[in-house]
């Protein structure tokens, strides 16, 4: 069985990202600047290009790819936790083209914002920390009962 902890949202931050910003870098910079270490992110908007990753579960490596297309962000969902003592945003994104075709994956640096509206729910309490998980090869959350 998985593990859940209780967290209470203490505030919600709403804003927009800069035109031509790197989407993931700006989310990370925003969390660092506002000392957000534990939270959940939602966003929508549009990008000029997108760089995504797909995790190859057998080889345990990320496969990165770039779409040089102007696309709508139909949904971005992600979270903020600590990795190596710093806030780290982990986000997945779904985008659509002019015909409604969808693309998606793990958001990587190299995605350029056309416009993006963001909402971050900030939680109180001890921040979740990421550590290497041998089973998946990923930096997953270390839950209290696993430490
Ligand atoms: Zn991911």
């Amino acid at each position: 069985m998985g593990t859940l902890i209780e967290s209470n949202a203490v505030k919600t931050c709403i804003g927009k990202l800069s035109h031509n910003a790197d989407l993931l870098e700006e989310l990370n910079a925003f969390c660092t600047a506002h000392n957000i270490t534990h939270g959940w992110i939602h966003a929508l908007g549009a990008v000029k290009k997108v760089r995504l990753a797909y995790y190859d579960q057998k080889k345990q490596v990320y496969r990165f790819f770039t779409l040089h297309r102007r696309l709508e962000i139909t949904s971005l969902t992600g979270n903020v936790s600590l990795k190596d003592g710093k806030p780290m945003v982990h986000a997945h994104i779904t985008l659509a083209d002019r015909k409604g075709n969808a693309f998606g994956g793990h958001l990587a640096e190299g995605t350029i914002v056309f416009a993006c509206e963001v909402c971050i729910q900030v939680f109180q309490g001890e921040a979740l920390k990421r550590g290497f998980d041998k089973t998946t090869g990923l930096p997953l959350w270390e839950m209290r009962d696993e430490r």
Side-chain angles (χ1 to χ4, degrees), residues 4-112:
L4 285 176
I5 62 169
E6 286 191 17
S7 288
N8 295 313
V10 290
K11 65 179 172 182
T12 301
C13 299
I14 296 177
K16 68 174 188 176
L17 303 186
S18 310
H19 184 73
N20 286 334
D22 183 298
L23 178 49
L24 184 58
E25 280 181 8
E26 191 146 278
L27 289 175
N28 275 312
F30 185 84
C31 291
T32 299
H34 293 266
N35 200 28
I36 299 170
T37 59
H38 188 192
W40 204 265
I41 299 175
H42 306 277
L44 56 80
V47 297
K48 292 179 161 184
K49 73 168 188 170
V50 64
R51 184 164 173 261
L52 302 174
Y54 171 84
Y55 191 65
D56 182 327
Q57 297 176 11
K58 288 191 175 163
K59 296 193 172 158
Q60 298 198 341
V61 290
Y62 278 105
R63 307 286 184 198
F64 291 89
F65 58 98
T66 301
L67 302 173
H68 294 273
R69 303 179 64 173
R70 292 172 181 265
L71 299 165
E72 297 287 322
I73 301 170
T74 53
S75 180
L76 178 153
T77 189
N79 55 55
V80 189
S81 55
L82 287 173
K83 182 166 181 250
D84 303 324
K86 295 183 206 157
M88 182 199 132
V89 172
H90 176 209
H92 287 194
I93 187 168
T94 305
L95 309 112
D97 69 10
R98 66 175 63 203
K99 292 185 177 172
N101 298 304
F103 308 91
H106 173 101
L107 179 65
E109 289 180 353
T111 297
I112 304 304

